[in-house]
Amino acid sequence: MRGHTLWGYLMIAPLGIGLVIFYLGPAVQTFVYSFSEWGAFGGQTFNGLENYRNLFGDAEFVRTMWNSVIYTAGVILSIPISIAIAAIVNRPGLRAAGLYQTLYFIPMVTMPVAVAIMWRWIYNGDYGILNSALALVGIDGPHWITDPDTVRFAMVIVGIWSVIGYNVVILSAGMKGIPAELYEAAELDGAGPFRRFRSVTLPLLSPTTFFLLVITTMRALQVFDLVFIMIGRINPALPQAKTVVFLFFEQAFQENDRGSGAAVAVLLFVVIMALTLVQFSLQKRMVHYE
């Protein structure tokens, strides 16, 4: 018995060591750094909660947090859209359903840098595909990603487009796991297609929906590539597009203020954990196993 236990520990040792070195170690180091002040040329001194006090009094931090919240709320809208698409793709008798799922999943496996560059071309105010299409119907499109009034909307659209494919695949798997006899029983009771979807599919799909809600929230709050590549650092609309992770990048790597950057990272972690706990507390209400 002890021999089996030893072999079990040896099998998980590579993964455990990797987690400690590349995840747990840096996380602890970041937490320690958040209580220190760094000089322009390195070196650190303990300054207690000063970094956190400065952040809560910093208007830029409040604005970037608000930007992240707006972006996250917008991307969460991908979940009901994905449910509708998954229901259509999994409709009985639909041909080439697997092909449609593959096409929807392509954005998920595309490099984030490539996605940001592509959408930067699409949103270009002078020769972008979007404004060219709008011009055909007599609409003068704005400069989507350089206009402070439209940059958040433009980012949300890209965020939704990027995650719909993943959501559709996961939701499709959840729909296929629903017993067919439940639909047959509902049909015998006179329930039409919409009623069966509302009374059978949605309740039994709630565990999958809950999983996507948690994953989407965490991913959206950590967005960085989209802002760095598609928006850019010299964009006049950057203040309305800057996210918390982008602020961390600026403070930790551009200004070399690793203490403040670490404090930003710790606060983002706390926010994500708090939202996740709230979502788990609501799980009992939104998940039905019967």
Side-chain angles (χ1 to χ4, degrees):
M1 186 66 181
R2 291 182 179 178
H4 290 296
T5 303
L6 177 61
W7 276 109
Y9 283 124
L10 289 176
M11 291 297 102
I12 66 173
L15 178 61
I17 294 173
L19 289 174
V20 170
I21 294 176
F22 297 108
Y23 288 91
L24 182 59
V28 173
Q29 189 177 45
T30 299
F31 181 75
V32 173
Y33 282 177
S34 68
F35 299 101
S36 62
E37 181 180 0
W38 287 71
F41 300 98
Q44 62 183 98
T45 56
F46 179 78
N47 66 348
L49 297 175
E50 188 65 24
N51 292 329
Y52 293 97
R53 283 193 290 265
N54 292 337
L55 283 178
F56 284 116
D58 185 5
E60 183 179 21
F61 174 74
V62 175
R63 183 175 63 246
T64 55
M65 182 62 75
W66 178 241
N67 291 342
S68 295
V69 170
I70 293 177
Y71 176 79
T72 301
V75 175
I76 287 176
L77 292 176
S78 66
I79 296 178
I81 297 174
S82 301
I83 292 175
I85 295 175
I88 296 173
V89 171
N90 288 274
R91 187 177 56 190
L94 180 67
R95 295 181 179 180
L99 175 61
Y100 295 135
Q101 292 180 6
T102 302
L103 293 176
Y104 279 116
F105 195 73
I106 288 177
M108 194 66 193
V109 297
T110 306
M111 293 295 293
V113 173
V115 170
I117 292 176
M118 180 191 72
W119 278 96
R120 187 171 183 174
W121 288 342
I122 293 174
Y123 280 137
N124 187 279
D126 297 321
Y127 54 83
I129 298 175
L130 180 57
N131 279 1
S132 298
L134 292 176
L136 295 177
V137 293
I139 299 176
D140 186 17
H143 288 72
W144 296 93
I145 57 176
T146 57
D147 187 342
D149 295 329
T150 59
V151 66
R152 288 173 176 165
F153 174 77
M155 286 180 56
V156 168
I157 294 298
V158 180
I160 292 176
W161 177 85
S162 300
V163 301
I164 276 183
Y166 176 81
N167 293 351
V168 168
V169 171
I170 299 299
L171 289 166
S172 296
M175 290 180 179
K176 292 177 181 177
I178 299 176
E181 52 267 24
L182 296 179
Y183 291 108
E184 296 172 358
E187 188 174 2
L188 290 175
D189 288 340
F194 178 76
R195 181 60 184 269
R196 293 197 298 270
F197 176 77
R198 183 171 64 88
S199 300
V200 178
T201 304
L202 286 182
L204 294 180
L205 201 62
S206 55
T208 308
T209 306
F210 170 73
F211 167 77
L212 291 178
L213 178 63
V214 174
I215 296 298
T216 301
T217 301
M218 290 191 295
R219 286 178 175 173
L221 285 173
Q222 298 177 69
V223 65
F224 171 77
D225 311 75
L226 192 62
V227 181
F228 186 78
I229 302 298
M230 190 178 80
I231 307 301
R233 289 178 288 176
I234 59 174
N235 192 320
L238 180 60
Q240 284 71 34
K242 186 184 299 185
T243 59
V244 177
V245 179
F246 193 91
L247 178 64
F248 160 76
F249 164 77
E250 283 187 332
Q251 294 190 349
F253 297 101
Q254 289 187 314
E255 301 176 9
N256 200 31
D257 188 357
R258 299 183 185 180
S260 296
V264 171
V266 171
L267 288 176
L268 177 60
F269 171 78
V270 171
V271 170
I272 292 176
M273 285 297 297
L275 290 176
T276 303
L277 290 175
V278 170
Q279 290 169 339
F280 270 95
S281 68
L282 297 175
Q283 182 183 10
K284 296 179 181 179
R285 299 183 180 180
M286 63 182 298
V287 177
H288 304 274
Y289 296 99
E290 301 178 355

